[in-house]
Amino acid sequence: MKDKDFEQLPMDDRFLILLHKKIMDKTGSAKRRAKKYYMDQYRKTGVIPKPLLLAGQGIMEGRKCSGRRRVLTEKIQNRFIEMVKASSDPSDDRFVFITRHGRTIKNYHAWLEQEFERSISLSALRRFARQANLKVYLEKPDFEEKNDPSVCFKDEPVFDLIQMDGCRFRYFKIRSDDGVWAKPQVIEFFDTGSRNMLVLDAYFSESSLNSVDLFEKFLVSTPFPQKKIRLRPDNAKGFVNLKRPINELNIKFSLPGGFYLQPNFSRIHAPKDKAHLESSHRSIHHFEMRIIKHFEDRIVKTEPGYIYKKGKKGKITITYLDIDLATLRQSGLLEAYRRQHNEQKHYYSVNGKTSAWVPKEKFDDGLAQYEWITFSADDVRHFVKYGYDKINATVGAKGIITFKKQTYYVAVGAQHFSRHKSTKVYISDLGDKLFIFEHKENGILLGEALRREPYEKPVKKAGTEPNAVELISAFLQEKKMAVDRPRLIDIHLRGLTLDAAQTIYRQHRKRYIAYAIKLRQPETITGKALFNAFILDCERQLSNNPLAPYASCSENKVL
């Protein structure tokens, strides 16, 4: 609104507009109190208060709005700063040296009043000391103190302590799988002794699935020394789930005096437990600019955003890039950042002293002192099953789980459950089947259970290979059989394998075809009859070549 138009408005309207400008940035009780104060003043005097007139000119500072002079003149402020700085330096003759514990605002207040021969506000002096950042001089030690090694970062041998944490990008957003704008974040594994970044990847959250996915990449990314290795993830909910695959890994591969991966989670709200990794996050935020520059032709828009540093709110620009997570990964930028960090010299503080080294070189030299163990993709592929949410459940004595009013039958790992009483477990729900885990914090995968009838709704993608019962079921369905899952699970637990099922079908194929032609019934009835005939042939085959119940055949084996 132009000034001429504003002046032509009635006084009440001008008052309301100026009052809005004055309190629009306030919130809560402060806004209500200010509004009541100026409304009362306007009612009593009939004149627009001067602070509101100044607010209309853009002058919002309280003392300026009131028209009062500053409590501390510029001369007093400059002398105060000079006193504080000179009193902390023995070589500065502008003021007598004051020991650290004697540098109090009250003392400087007395000296200033004495020097200027006038009364000075102590509270205003305290406020100015904070505004001028004089704390560093007020608390400056009298003598240069040597670093105490007991409170410094201690040197760690290579591959003794691996830190894991995530860092969310600040300055750009990309499209998520749902098409929503979101800030991605990187999760990384970091060797404390050498500061070598072992693996790094981008996700949208620190979920259990994402942490397990990166854990698999970490295991196949490098050889592991034959010794105890502490793994220190952040105490986020998604990372805590890693205790389960770590336990299974140790059960399979740990030997006395050899490889052992020890969970050594950081404490809650204790960033110092992984300070080495936290400090490296600064360079990640600097690297964001290179990502934005690389995808400059995919910039959709920019918007203002906010970050908080040391409790202070700062305004930044957020760039929106029309890319997805796959495009970011395929660009090679994250790998370039990891390689750049590992192959360049950096300066680090260890035991109170600053040293420089190249992380990759120190890591390779340290690893060369040990015998190695390596993990293949086949060793860790099934770890994805640990990434789903865990729910309390019970496996009945007959190997049945009732969950969400549905019945599930244990198809893999039945040997792990009692046949005389129920067993408490954790389960992960994938709709058509359940993953079953030990009922403890680091419980390993025990088996799988299949729903009595195939699930009609879309089933969650497990990202894992189907178990033996699912493979046999798929094979029989291809042959137009109506599979009864409980009966198939029972015959499987008695020893039926996929190879045996295929052999039995080939042996009796002609008879099944003739039987189907002879029945001349609807497809559903024919499918059930063919499946019953197949089960009878399987039982006959197993009776001729019996296997012990719950035999540890390859299809049953979980661990």
Side-chain angles (χ1 to χ4, degrees):
M1 180 181 292
K2 295 182 179 179
D3 293 339
K4 292 181 180 180
D5 298 334
F6 181 76
E7 292 298 333
Q8 293 175 0
L9 293 174
M11 183 178 288
D12 289 348
D13 292 344
R14 281 184 285 155
F15 168 75
L16 292 175
I17 292 173
L18 293 173
L19 177 62
H20 167 72
K21 291 180 182 294
K22 177 64 178 173
I23 66 175
M24 62 184 178
D25 292 328
K26 298 181 182 296
T27 58
S29 62
K31 186 172 185 177
R32 293 191 297 272
R33 289 198 306 269
K35 182 177 180 179
K36 184 179 185 303
Y37 171 78
Y38 289 117
M39 292 284 286
D40 292 344
Q41 291 293 316
Y42 182 62
R43 288 195 193 98
K44 289 178 182 178
T45 63
V47 178
I48 298 176
K50 188 175 180 180
L52 299 188
L53 296 174
L54 292 173
Q57 301 172 20
I59 303 174
M60 297 294 181
E61 200 273 326
R63 182 162 290 275
K64 290 180 181 179
C65 287
S66 66
R68 292 177 291 168
R69 293 178 298 173
R70 290 188 297 181
V71 173
L72 302 179
T73 64
E74 188 174 349
K75 194 173 182 180
I76 292 176
Q77 291 177 356
N78 292 337
R79 180 55 178 159
F80 178 48
I81 293 174
E82 184 181 60
M83 276 185 179
V84 173
K85 290 184 177 180
S87 64
S88 65
D89 186 358
S91 62
D92 196 329
D93 57 1
R94 292 179 297 171
F95 199 80
V96 64
F97 175 75
I98 307 296
T99 186
R100 175 181 178 179
H101 295 289
R103 293 181 217 133
T104 63
I105 302 297
K106 219 166 189 177
N107 281 339
Y108 292 107
H109 174 256
W111 293 325
L112 287 169
E113 285 191 333
Q114 183 180 358
E115 184 173 322
F116 287 92
E117 297 180 348
R118 54 162 290 188
S119 177
I120 297 174
S121 170
L122 179 61
S123 59
L125 205 62
R126 294 187 191 279
R127 286 195 302 271
F128 180 73
R130 289 194 295 270
Q131 294 169 5
N133 294 322
L134 297 178
K135 184 177 180 181
V136 64
Y137 299 102
L138 293 171
E139 297 182 358
K140 183 179 178 182
D142 296 349
F143 305 96
E144 291 295 331
E145 299 176 0
K146 294 182 179 180
N147 291 327
D148 183 2
S150 64
V151 296
C152 297
F153 291 125
K154 296 180 181 179
D155 189 19
E156 294 276 359
V158 171
F159 237 125
D160 257 30
L161 176 63
I162 306 297
Q163 300 180 26
M164 176 189 182
D165 197 11
C167 175
R168 188 172 297 280
F169 288 125
R170 289 177 178 169
Y171 301 107
F172 69 89
K173 291 185 178 181
I174 64 176
R175 294 190 186 276
S176 67
D177 296 337
D178 301 327
V180 179
W181 292 109
K183 290 181 179 179
Q185 67 182 70
V186 291
I187 306 177
E188 54 188 312
F189 282 82
F190 186 86
D191 176 52
T192 306
S194 64
R195 309 299 202 273
N196 189 59
M197 198 175 294
L198 296 167
V199 66
L200 172 83
D201 209 348
Y203 302 91
F204 281 115
S205 67
E206 294 179 350
S207 66
S208 294
L209 270 174
N210 293 339
S211 63
V212 169
D213 178 67
L214 193 68
F215 183 62
E216 292 179 11
K217 296 177 182 177
F218 164 63
L219 292 177
V220 299
S221 66
T222 181
F224 285 73
Q226 294 276 12
K227 65 171 185 175
K228 183 173 79 171
I229 302 167
R230 290 174 293 152
L231 178 62
R232 181 173 293 170
D234 181 59
N235 222 305
K237 182 180 178 181
F239 293 164
V240 171
N241 186 58
L242 288 177
K243 293 179 181 179
R244 299 175 183 276
I246 290 174
N247 187 21
E248 179 179 332
L249 193 74
N250 288 330
I251 292 174
K252 282 186 175 182
F253 298 101
S254 181
L255 295 172
F259 169 80
Y260 176 71
L261 194 60
Q262 178 188 13
N264 186 252
F265 284 75
S266 65
R267 295 166 296 171
I268 299 175
H269 304 308
K272 287 186 178 179
D273 287 355
K274 44 186 174 53
H276 311 80
L277 185 51
E278 295 279 359
S279 64
S280 73
H281 290 168
R282 289 193 297 270
S283 61
I284 289 180
H285 294 309
H286 297 160
F287 190 78
E288 289 184 58
M289 302 304 109
R290 291 174 59 180
I291 296 176
I292 294 173
K293 178 65 174 65
H294 182 84
F295 292 107
E296 60 181 333
D297 58 333
R298 309 289 291 274
I299 295 176
V300 176
K301 60 179 179 177
T302 58
E303 286 186 355
Y306 298 94
I307 59 172
Y308 293 86
K309 284 187 176 181
K310 297 181 179 179
K312 294 183 179 179
K313 186 178 181 180
K315 201 167 186 178
I316 60 171
T317 299
I318 298 177
T319 304
Y320 289 72
L321 303 176
D322 189 19
I323 60 173
D324 56 14
L325 206 57
T327 305
L328 177 60
R329 289 170 171 169
Q330 292 167 7
S331 67
L333 291 171
L334 296 177
E335 180 59 25
Y337 167 76
R338 189 184 73 86
R339 190 167 56 250
Q340 173 185 311
H341 169 86
N342 290 343
E343 296 176 359
Q344 290 184 356
K345 182 184 288 187
H346 303 272
Y347 290 86
Y348 301 107
S349 176
V350 179
N351 295 331
K353 298 179 181 179
T354 302
S355 305
W357 66 78
V358 177
K360 188 175 186 305
E361 293 178 359
K362 186 171 183 179
F363 179 80
D364 292 341
D365 292 343
L367 194 60
Q369 301 174 16
Y370 300 93
E371 294 183 0
W372 303 342
I373 179 175
T374 58
F375 300 105
S376 66
D378 291 336
D379 294 329
V380 301
R381 184 180 292 117
H382 67 284
F383 280 178
V384 68
K385 297 178 182 179
Y386 287 99
Y388 298 94
D389 292 338
K390 309 296 184 296
I391 307 165
N392 282 304
T394 302
V395 179
K398 296 182 179 180
I400 297 175
I401 301 175
T402 302
F403 177 69
K404 290 184 177 179
K405 299 181 180 180
Q406 300 295 330
T407 302
Y408 294 81
Y409 290 80
V410 176
V412 178
Q415 68 273 18
H416 297 298
F417 307 108
S418 172
R419 302 174 71 179
H420 306 288
K421 63 178 181 178
S422 300
T423 306
K424 285 187 175 182
V425 294
Y426 285 117
I427 60 172
S428 292
D429 175 26
L430 275 80
D432 196 40
K433 68 177 178 179
L434 308 174
F435 293 140
I436 310 172
F437 304 89
E438 285 182 289
H439 196 266
K440 53 184 181 180
E441 188 179 43
N442 64 343
I444 62 173
L445 178 68
L446 296 179
E448 299 177 16
L450 294 178
R451 193 168 176 266
R452 182 185 182 92
E453 299 292 338
Y455 207 57
E456 295 179 359
K457 296 180 181 179
V459 180
K460 297 179 185 178
K461 298 296 183 182
T464 57
E465 296 178 355
N467 59 47
V469 175
E470 291 174 301
L471 292 173
I472 297 172
S473 178
F475 170 74
L476 297 179
Q477 287 172 354
E478 288 179 2
K479 308 306 179 184
K480 307 299 182 182
M481 295 186 187
V483 176
D484 182 358
R485 278 186 169 180
R487 294 184 65 190
L488 181 60
I489 290 171
D490 178 68
I491 199 74
H492 165 68
L493 295 178
R494 288 160 57 189
L496 180 68
T497 65
L498 177 60
D499 291 339
Q502 292 172 338
T503 301
I504 292 171
Y505 179 82
R506 284 195 299 268
Q507 290 175 351
H508 304 280
R509 178 174 173 274
K510 292 181 180 180
R511 184 165 60 86
Y512 296 151
I513 294 174
Y515 186 37
I517 294 172
K518 183 178 179 180
L519 282 176
R520 294 184 179 181
Q521 295 292 329
E523 186 176 341
T524 54
I525 297 176
T526 303
K528 290 180 180 180
L530 290 176
F531 179 75
N532 291 335
F534 172 78
I535 291 296
L536 291 173
D537 291 334
C538 291
E539 290 176 344
R540 191 179 301 111
Q541 179 72 21
L542 292 175
S543 64
N544 295 332
N545 299 285
L547 290 173
Y550 307 131
S552 57
C553 57
S554 60
E555 285 80 9
N556 276 347
K557 194 172 182 181
V558 178
L559 298 180

